[in-house]
Amino acid sequence: GMDYGITQFENFFADKYLRELEANIVNIFETMVSERGKGEEEGLSYLAHTLDISKHCKRKKVFLGYRYSYGQYGNDKLYDDVDSIRKYPFMHNLLCRVRDMYVSLHPDSVFNPNQIVINQYEQKGAKLGCHVDSKFLFRRPIISLRLFSDATLFFGVRGLGIKTTSQTVRVPQKRGEITVMDGFAANNFNHGINRDSINEMSVSVLIREVTPTAIAEMNIRKLDTTKNNLTTKNPRNPSRSESHSSTDG
């Protein structure tokens, strides 16, 4: 591994396993995009928020377990309105294999991943804005698997164009390579995918553990929403028209 918290593993998975995984991922995206294209949200075989499409970034995302949004001033939020990981046995199998690999190398650590994001970069020029994975949302490590084709992850970049600086570090990711981010790289060094990162269709599967704090905040938010909805449906001081109609019945 490199000094600043990035460790990479080549040839951990057999090529046959990688090809099966890639075929399953192609099927996920084709099915979801095809159903979404019909415009009938109620008839989807998956929860609508599971699929996110960014035409501007030439990127599609599938969230499993949880999705999230990065807000201003650290106002990051977690949501559980997406498909479960167990609904897709091959993704659950991947999660278990990656978890077991990490724990075998770090026997004193606890790592219970419960969230997957499948990022599909559609073509050359696809990008992912520079960011640091939210410490509020995700425990460390951050683990990813590169599929379909090689790519380059840029660390120490800036701006919407993910511009390189004198501090920029390029981390090549070969197809089938696992990248583990921890420590400095995960917490202090922003990273992104810029127009030089991807040469052809490529996929990154992110495997992370959501923090108990983020789950607790999400549950409080859901409870507040439920209370507000109940208050709206059953106001303590009904308006005259509501009161009038209820006495009519």
Side-chain angles (χ1 to χ4, degrees):
M2 304 176 201
D3 291 339
Y4 46 86
I6 293 180
T7 313
Q8 292 182 290
F9 301 89
E10 282 187 68
N11 305 317
F12 181 77
F13 295 120
D15 187 64
K16 181 174 182 287
Y17 179 78
L18 292 176
R19 280 187 276 114
E20 287 174 358
L21 196 56
E22 288 169 341
N24 276 297
I25 286 171
V26 165
N27 185 51
I28 281 185
F29 279 105
E30 284 183 350
T31 302
M32 289 189 181
V33 170
S34 167
E35 289 184 18
R36 174 77 59 91
K38 292 171 186 170
E40 296 175 12
E41 275 209 3
E42 289 177 11
L44 296 176
S45 64
Y46 60 94
L47 294 172
H49 288 297
T50 303
L51 176 67
D52 178 72
I53 299 174
S54 171
K55 289 180 180 174
H56 172 69
C57 294
K58 302 174 185 170
R59 187 188 75 240
K60 297 184 185 81
K61 278 187 181 194
V62 164
F63 296 99
L64 300 177
Y66 298 93
R67 70 179 174 99
Y68 53 90
S69 63
Y70 286 167
Q72 282 187 310
Y73 315 113
N75 189 24
D76 307 326
K77 286 188 168 63
L78 190 70
Y79 307 88
D80 61 358
D81 54 357
V82 297
D83 281 1
S84 71
I85 296 169
R86 286 180 181 273
K87 182 177 175 182
Y88 304 90
F90 56 93
M91 296 309 298
H92 185 250
N93 175 266
L94 172 65
L95 178 142
C96 292
R97 291 178 71 165
V98 167
R99 177 199 64 205
D100 293 349
M101 177 208 77
Y102 183 83
V103 172
S104 70
L105 294 169
H106 304 85
D108 296 332
S109 67
V110 177
F111 180 51
N112 292 307
N114 52 7
Q115 198 255 353
I116 286 179
V117 179
I118 311 171
N119 276 309
Q120 183 190 53
Y121 301 95
E122 295 163 10
Q123 62 196 75
K124 185 175 175 61
K127 59 188 179 182
L128 174 68
C130 61
H131 65 285
V132 172
D133 289 54
S134 168
K135 286 183 252 188
F136 172 72
L137 293 176
F138 304 112
R139 290 190 69 223
R140 277 34 181 165
I142 310 293
I143 300 183
S144 64
L145 170 67
R146 178 62 57 183
L147 294 170
F148 293 95
S149 68
D150 301 352
T152 305
L153 202 53
F154 283 78
F155 283 81
V157 284
R158 63 182 173 83
L160 293 171
I162 312 119
K163 297 188 178 87
T164 55
T165 67
S166 58
Q167 270 81 48
T168 297
V169 175
R170 291 167 175 79
V171 177
Q173 295 179 309
K174 294 179 183 173
R175 173 185 172 265
E177 192 163 37
I178 297 169
T179 301
V180 179
M181 284 197 321
D182 210 339
F184 183 77
N187 297 325
N188 307 95
F189 218 18
N190 66 29
H191 60 278
I193 293 280
N194 71 11
R195 63 186 181 188
D196 299 319
S197 297
I198 306 281
N199 288 314
E200 58 187 301
M201 199 277 275
S202 188
V203 162
S204 173
V205 180
L206 276 164
I207 296 173
R208 295 178 287 202
E209 181 179 349
V210 169
T211 66
T213 313
I215 294 172
E217 189 277 335
M218 174 191 72
N219 287 331
I220 291 167
R221 225 182 326 114
K222 284 165 69 177
L223 200 59
D224 287 345
T225 305
T226 306
K227 282 180 182 173
N228 289 339
N229 288 342
L230 286 171
T231 306
T232 307
K233 287 177 185 172
N234 304 299
R236 288 185 177 180
N237 298 308
S239 67
R240 287 182 67 187
S241 60
E242 288 171 327
S243 173
H244 178 70
S245 61
S246 66
T247 54
D248 274 354

